[in-house]
Amino acid sequence: MATSKDESSEKAQPQPVMVVAIDESDHSAYALRWTLDHFFTAGNDSVFKLVLVHARPSATSSVGLAGPGAAEVLPIVDSDLRKIAARVADSAKQLCIKKSVNNVIVEVVEGDPRNVLCDTVDKYHASILVVGSHGYGAIKRAVLGSVSDYCAHHAHCSVMIVKKPKTKH
């Protein structure tokens, strides 16, 4: 018996993946809220599978060059970074639950945010990457580098940069 064209096209297609970068900044929290409000409305199934990723810096990258006493400081710094990462992940999970988005994957990966985000996109074959804009000026962006700019040029998917509206004084 031959299958009709409709039956063969009804085979389950993998759900597209949306990766959202999270960190401890207000810009990141705003980007996640904005994404949940626009793509994951309560009571409706989203088109996307949601993956949140936090890039946790290593203790050595946070302390800088090793010097006298660095060996004693590194475990303390590492412990603090782990606590911050857990707080970021938990806060993001709670926001998702508050917005009735329960099917979410949350990952904390040690490394440079640029590499972590692009690697996560590749790992999940993501269709879109969402990052918040920290709103750095040209000089600070040139010195620190822009994670969103890097991802826009190197991620193997579309990149959406969510900008927090400026408050008027």
Side-chain angles (χ1 to χ4, degrees):
M1 181 166 123
T3 60
S4 72
K5 193 174 190 178
D6 289 337
E7 287 176 15
S8 62
S9 65
E10 288 180 15
K11 289 182 182 174
Q13 295 293 321
Q15 189 176 20
V17 175
M18 177 182 286
V19 173
V20 179
I22 57 172
D23 63 24
E24 63 276 8
S25 72
D26 289 340
H27 299 278
S28 170
Y30 177 81
L32 178 57
R33 275 193 310 277
W34 189 94
T35 301
L36 293 172
D37 289 343
H38 288 83
F39 291 96
F40 297 87
T41 56
N44 294 330
D45 287 334
S46 173
V47 171
F48 294 99
K49 176 180 177 178
L50 182 61
V51 176
L52 308 180
V53 64
H54 173 64
R56 181 176 74 84
S58 68
T60 52
S61 71
S62 296
V63 171
L65 297 175
E72 293 81 29
V73 173
L74 286 177
I76 297 165
V77 171
D78 187 60
S79 175
D80 286 347
L81 291 171
R82 288 180 188 279
K83 288 175 189 171
I84 291 167
R87 201 168 41 244
V88 167
D90 188 56
S91 177
K93 279 186 218 170
Q94 293 307 315
L95 181 58
C96 289
I97 291 167
K98 182 179 173 187
K99 300 278 187 177
S100 300
V101 178
N102 299 311
N103 188 14
V104 59
I105 297 169
V106 182
E107 291 193 1
V108 174
V109 181
E110 185 178 292
D112 182 284
R114 295 170 282 218
N115 299 328
V116 167
L117 294 174
C118 289
D119 290 348
T120 302
V121 162
D122 291 344
K123 175 182 175 181
Y124 287 99
H125 307 288
S127 299
I128 187 166
L129 169 64
V130 179
V131 293
S133 172
H134 284 243
Y136 295 145
I139 294 172
K140 194 168 187 181
R141 193 170 49 246
V143 172
L144 296 176
S146 167
V147 172
S148 57
D149 185 60
Y150 180 90
C151 291
H153 288 91
H154 295 91
H156 298 127
C157 68
S158 296
V159 177
M160 181 170 64
I161 301 168
V162 178
K163 294 176 88 171
K164 186 176 180 182
K166 292 185 179 189
T167 55
K168 295 185 180 179
H169 300 277

